[in-house]
Amino acid sequence: MRHGHARMHEALGYEGETAGPNRVARLMAADGLYGVPQRRQWRKKRSGVRPSTVRNHLERDFEALEPNTKWVTDITYIRTVEGWLYLCVVLDLFSKRVVGWSMSDIQGHQMVLKAVLMALWQRSSKSPVVLHSDRGTQFTSSEYQQFLLGHNLVCSMSAVGHGGDNAAAEGFFGLLKRERVNRRHYQTRTHARSDVFDYIERFHNPRMQRRLDNRDQKFIALTQLSAETG
């Protein structure tokens, strides 16, 4: 069981079930069903020096009022019998969807550029987007900085590294590890790639889209009620 009672309640709501969160928690406990706790695993990344022209545009404000205005990006690692598989994602802070991703057995700037390029492909306008990252060497590299300048992306990163400065991306990685990766034993990188793809495109992104649709429906209902009573 990968869901805690809160996410199980949310999933059941999408299926039309009306049980409250407390009842869901009681039923899960009665059947011995519990969420999977997150494992704390650390693999330190090399940090670079923030370019002098870059500043922190987010200041830990991970909310966005419109899509494609604030993105965050980061890299995590996945263990396989063959060796490490690295995953880079680009997350839209409005929808919380993964709009770009790339995987490689090399933790280099090319992997990062592929993930950002994927995010650019789905962007409907050419308006500037703030792209926040940590100070990993992939993000401080001249190739990455030049790529962002050439595609109307505003680079954002902290002057001094702090775990909370990229909490949104770390939060997604926590979900990925807890709900999928830590429940698997990957023999090959190919197996891991396939499973991570499945999680992102068939589980996480659809879930985030359902949340967004539900939020829109509640907003429409509220505005209609205000118009009728106002």
Side-chain angles (χ1 to χ4, degrees), residues 89-158:
V89 300
V90 178
L91 196 75
D92 189 314
L93 291 181
F94 174 76
S95 65
K96 305 302 190 289
R97 295 175 65 251
V98 176
V99 293
W101 54 266
S102 179
M103 287 177 269
S104 175
D105 58 350
I106 300 174
Q107 190 181 185
H109 69 271
Q110 288 295 333
M111 176 184 66
V112 173
L113 295 182
K114 288 179 181 178
V116 178
L117 188 59
M118 180 179 178
L120 288 169
W121 287 338
Q122 60 77 48
R123 184 177 61 167
S124 57
S125 72
K126 301 300 182 183
S127 301
V129 181
V130 172
L131 180 53
H132 186 81
S133 70
D134 62 21
R135 294 180 299 114
T137 55
Q138 301 85 356
F139 305 113
T140 58
S141 69
S142 59
E143 293 87 350
Y144 177 81
Q145 293 296 321
Q146 289 299 317
F147 182 87
L148 266 55
L149 284 173
H151 291 83
N152 209 18
L153 297 174
V154 180
C155 184
S156 171
M157 61 179 65
S158 301

Side-chain angles (χ1 to χ4, degrees), residues 54-202:
V54 174
R55 67 181 182 88
N56 188 343
H57 292 272
L58 290 192
E59 296 292 348
R60 303 189 191 179
D61 178 9
F62 299 116
E63 296 299 322
L65 299 178
E66 296 180 359
N68 297 318
T69 54
K70 294 180 181 179
W71 293 346
V72 295
T73 183
D74 203 354
I75 299 170
T76 193
Y77 60 95
I78 297 165
R79 187 190 301 273
T80 78
V81 174
E82 284 185 338
W84 295 110
L85 175 68
Y86 297 98
L87 166 69
C88 179
V89 300
V90 178
L91 196 75
D92 189 314
L93 291 181
F94 174 76
S95 65
K96 305 302 190 289
R97 295 175 65 251
V98 176
V99 293
W101 54 266
S102 179
M103 287 177 269
S104 175
D105 58 350
I106 300 174
Q107 190 181 185
H109 69 271
Q110 288 295 333
M111 176 184 66
V112 173
L113 295 182
K114 288 179 181 178
V116 178
L117 188 59
M118 180 179 178
L120 288 169
W121 287 338
Q122 60 77 48
R123 184 177 61 167
S124 57
S125 72
K126 301 300 182 183
S127 301
V129 181
V130 172
L131 180 53
H132 186 81
S133 70
D134 62 21
R135 294 180 299 114
T137 55
Q138 301 85 356
F139 305 113
T140 58
S141 69
S142 59
E143 293 87 350
Y144 177 81
Q145 293 296 321
Q146 289 299 317
F147 182 87
L148 266 55
L149 284 173
H151 291 83
N152 209 18
L153 297 174
V154 180
C155 184
S156 171
M157 61 179 65
S158 301
V160 179
H162 187 282
D165 289 336
N166 210 6
E170 293 292 343
F172 167 74
F173 289 148
L175 286 175
L176 169 66
K177 299 290 182 69
R178 186 168 66 250
E179 296 182 335
R180 184 64 64 90
V181 171
N182 290 345
R183 300 171 57 83
R184 300 287 195 269
H185 182 68
Y186 300 118
Q187 291 293 321
T188 65
R189 292 188 180 96
T190 299
H191 181 202
R193 287 173 191 267
S194 177
D195 201 40
V196 171
F197 168 85
D198 180 84
Y199 178 86
I200 292 174
E201 298 294 355
R202 298 184 61 188

Side-chain angles (χ1 to χ4, degrees), residues 202-218:
R202 298 184 61 188
F203 183 73
H204 176 80
N205 280 352
R207 177 172 63 185
M208 295 301 104
Q209 188 60 50
R210 287 194 299 267
R211 285 185 182 178
L212 192 61
D213 293 343
N214 188 51
R215 186 172 67 187
D216 289 344
Q217 289 171 5
K218 288 182 178 179

